[in-house]
Amino acid sequence: PGALTAAPNELDELRSHPAWDEEHPGEASDLIREQPDAHVARAFPIIGVKNFEDPPNRLWKGRIVVAGNNIKTASGQWALFQDMGAVPSTMAACRAILAAYSVMKGAELYQSDCVKAYVQAEMKGTPTYVRLPKAWWPPHWVGRYRDPLCRLLRALYGHPDGGNQWADKIGEELHRLGFTEPEGWAATYVLRAADSHVIVFVLYVDDLIMFGTARVNEIIAKVRINIKMDDPANLQKYLGVVHHIMRKETNGEVLTEITFDMEQYFRSAVEDYVALSGKTLSKVATPFAPRIDGESLDALLAERGDMAEHAAHCVMKLMYGARMALPYLCVIVSRLSSQIARWTKDSDRRLHRVYCFLNYALDIKLKGSLSTADWGSLKLIAWPDADLNGDYMDTKSTSGFFLELVGERGRGMPLAWGAKKQGCTAVHTAEAEVVSMAACVRSELLPMQALLELIFQRPIDCEVREDNAAAIVSVTKGYSPAMRHLPRTQRVSLGFLHEVFTAEPQEGEGRVRVMKAETDEHRGDAFTKELESQKFANALHLIRMCR
């Protein structure tokens, strides 16, 4: 019951604004004459449950929001907004600072929520007026107004510009303190005023992860002067992932081991699936449904699946978890997501297999470990891979990758991973591998290298591990007669990779080189293929997933 007072409290905060008394409510008809281009929207309360998948920690939350799907001008025209809004940080940015925290001596790591984040920002731009529910009307409004509108003074959730206003406010505050945003890393702020200390803030809407050495607590205190934040605490649950961080000191070095845990999230997803499907879950060795004969497959593909109405819901739950902490789901989730619009009985079969596996494998978790002793030997290793025409539902190959920061004695921290269909059909394996390699290097490896070099203030060498010899020869030469048929966009991949691997690094930059890897040891297999049980178990071990 206490949490349900959040919305009225938020309204009290709006009323306490100095301009509240100056902005008297007025009739909609008056606004049409005086400000025909002003925006008009409806404000209303919503109530939800935070941490729904974790019953002991469930929390009712109330919030005032704007109906952003129905904002018009006072004259009745649809309001227009910028196409691009504020972009939150990625989970890869969070993992990057976890890796930095593990290898830098004297580092500290904190988590905090910005209190009622949007309401901290002034509403700027085109004036917006809102209609309030009649239950919120002061008594003296009753009988005095027919259609009162109030000026929106603070940014609210739901307004298309609300996120921009909040992002601008906290961004301006961090820039004022000397933070910069690395190119390509949205909502990631780095402060390095001297070689002796570095501070990194990673912001996802109102959730802050803060890492730093030396002056981090001093800087956090300065930020809190103008930004309302909860007291900084140890990192635990962030974007649905519970981080179990263990540190121990031996022989003068500090070893950090991190477990990325989403067991409660997936347990809730499994229970949800069972309730929706009404099916019983059995124990299976992999999340991949076995191949069936062509006649049986045709029969299944011809019928609409029983889970068609719930497919998007069930697949999206898996997709989020795969991005956050269960990399081995990337391939099957990528393929299932492409079937949502044409869901069949075969889709039912494949989805059911995933949930059967999850039900008995929730104790398999992603882990990472690094030590301060790894500081001098750190390197980024990318494992791009491709599966030529491996999906029987499509001729396009699947690209996949795994990116990690590696130290000594087999230690390493997973940073990023993914699986995605290629843009057009590849005609042989080397072509598919080159396309996958280029996407991995361009979009994942080089940006991560730049971010870590900025944080560490030293070069970080990179290795691209490729298991296809023909692909290595092609990118080393920069051209391949066997690939002269490639469309322009894919032919550019060859030249791009050739330049990256042969260029001399600039001062402060690490070298990037391609190396041959054995297929049996390649970590990319888990992101491109539906593996049989023995290979799947080995793939889990390679990407640092275990019980």
Side-chain angles (χ1 to χ4, degrees), residues 406-539:
V406 175
E408 300 175 352
R409 300 180 183 179
R411 291 188 290 261
M413 188 69 65
L415 299 176
W417 54 81
K420 185 179 180 180
K421 282 288 181 65
Q422 295 185 359
C424 57
T425 300
V427 298
H428 54 73
T429 302
E431 177 186 338
E433 294 282 352
V434 167
V435 172
S436 176
M437 196 189 316
C440 174
V441 172
R442 180 182 63 251
S443 302
E444 305 293 339
L445 179 63
L446 296 182
M448 183 61 72
Q449 181 191 32
L451 177 62
L452 292 180
E453 288 179 340
L454 178 62
I455 295 173
F456 294 156
Q457 283 293 286
R458 71 176 186 83
I460 300 294
D461 288 337
C462 302
E463 294 178 2
V464 178
R465 301 288 179 88
E466 173 59 55
D467 64 350
N468 184 273
I472 294 176
V473 171
S474 297
V475 300
T476 301
K477 292 181 177 180
Y479 179 72
S480 170
M483 298 188 198
R484 60 184 181 275
H485 63 281
L486 291 181
R488 180 168 51 188
T489 53
Q490 292 198 17
R491 192 181 307 131
V492 168
S493 297
L494 277 174
F496 163 73
L497 290 172
H498 174 73
E499 292 173 8
V500 169
F501 295 145
T502 59
E504 287 296 321
Q506 301 293 318
E507 183 178 354
E509 296 180 353
R511 183 177 294 278
V512 183
R513 55 180 180 167
V514 61
M515 301 179 65
K516 181 71 170 67
E518 297 299 324
T519 300
D520 292 342
E521 300 175 358
H522 200 280
R523 286 153 171 75
D525 270 0
F527 304 94
T528 57
K529 303 172 181 65
E530 298 183 25
L531 302 170
E532 54 89 14
S533 57
Q534 186 174 354
K535 289 185 177 181
F536 178 69
N538 183 56

Side-chain angles (χ1 to χ4, degrees), residues 269-279 281 307 314 351-352 355:
V270 169
E271 293 171 356
D272 194 24
Y273 170 77
V274 170
L276 291 172
S277 67
K279 294 182 179 180
L281 303 178
M307 292 293 292
C314 293
L351 181 67
H352 183 67
Y355 278 100

Side-chain angles (χ1 to χ4, degrees), residues 306-321:
D306 296 332
M307 292 293 292
E309 293 183 5
H310 308 293
H313 171 77
C314 293
V315 173
M316 290 303 172
K317 275 185 169 289
L318 297 176
M319 182 179 292
Y320 181 77

Side-chain angles (χ1 to χ4, degrees), residues 285 287 327-329 357 361 364-366 526 531 534-547:
Y328 66 77
L329 287 180
F357 180 80
I364 300 176
K365 296 181 175 66
L366 182 67
L531 302 170
Q534 186 174 354
K535 289 185 177 181
F536 178 69
N538 183 56
L540 291 180
H541 171 72
L542 291 174
I543 62 173
R544 307 182 190 281
M545 298 202 69
C546 59
R547 286 184 160 89

